[in-house]
């Protein structure tokens, strides 16, 4: 969170399904936390950031999404929420192939960026 703040990120919501992680996120600087097992994440992001421009509507005004969990539901939620021009960064390791709904990516001109700092040998 401190790294995001140091580059000017004004509002940082965190999504998880574990209460302990959400509590920790609040203690280290998250502005809002959502439990994706009970909250409608897209609706909550729209409440916080307003509705973003998109071809089909119903997208959040959030600019950047990070997948640090390596879980398919994170990908699905980010693509469902992503407004025109949003960026989706994948840093979590996905151990299974994840299908991506390309209509959302193309119609909203989403940018998907991946990064992996873990050495390959540790994934075996």
């Amino acid at each position: 969170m401190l790294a995001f703040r140091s580059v000017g990120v004004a509002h940082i919501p965190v999504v998880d399904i574990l209460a302990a992680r959400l509590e920790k996120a609040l203690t280290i600087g998250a502005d809002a936390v959502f439990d994706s097992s009970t909250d409608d994440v897209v609706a909550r992001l729209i409440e916080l950031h307003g509705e973003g421009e998109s071809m089909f509507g119903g997208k959040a005004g959030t600019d950047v999404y990070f997948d640090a969990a390596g879980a398919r539901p994170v990908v699905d939620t980010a693509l469902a929420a992503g407004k025109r021009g949003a960026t989706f960064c994948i840093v979590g390791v996905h151990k299974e192939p994840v299908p991506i709904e390309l209509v959302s990516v193309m119609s909203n001109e989403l940018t998907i960026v991946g990064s992996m700092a873990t050495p390959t040998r540790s994934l075996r």
Side-chain angles (χ1 to χ4, degrees):
M1 299 280 172
L2 294 175
F4 291 130
R5 294 273 186 236
S6 73
V7 295
V9 176
H11 192 261
I12 303 170
V14 172
V15 179
D16 206 305
I17 58 171
L18 298 177
R21 288 185 185 165
L22 295 172
E23 290 170 19
K24 183 66 169 181
L26 286 171
T27 64
I28 62 172
D31 296 299
V33 295
F34 312 133
D35 179 338
S36 60
S37 68
T38 58
D39 289 326
D40 179 338
V41 174
V42 177
R44 295 289 309 275
L45 289 172
I46 290 172
E47 288 173 17
L48 285 173
H49 301 147
E51 190 162 337
E53 179 188 347
S54 71
M55 183 172 279
F56 301 113
K59 304 291 185 175
T62 308
D63 295 314
V64 178
Y65 299 82
F66 272 83
D67 169 13
R72 180 180 175 173
V74 177
V75 175
D76 296 340
T77 300
L79 294 180
K83 69 175 183 173
R84 184 179 315 272
T87 299
F88 178 36
C89 303
I90 303 170
V91 297
V93 177
H94 288 262
K95 295 184 179 179
E96 299 289 328
V98 177
I100 294 180
E101 200 279 293
L102 291 175
V103 171
S104 288
V105 174
M106 294 166 52
S107 64
N108 292 304
E109 300 174 348
L110 302 178
T111 300
I112 300 175
V113 178
S115 181
M116 189 164 137
T118 304
T120 306
R121 67 183 175 275
S122 70
L123 299 176
R124 296 183 188 151

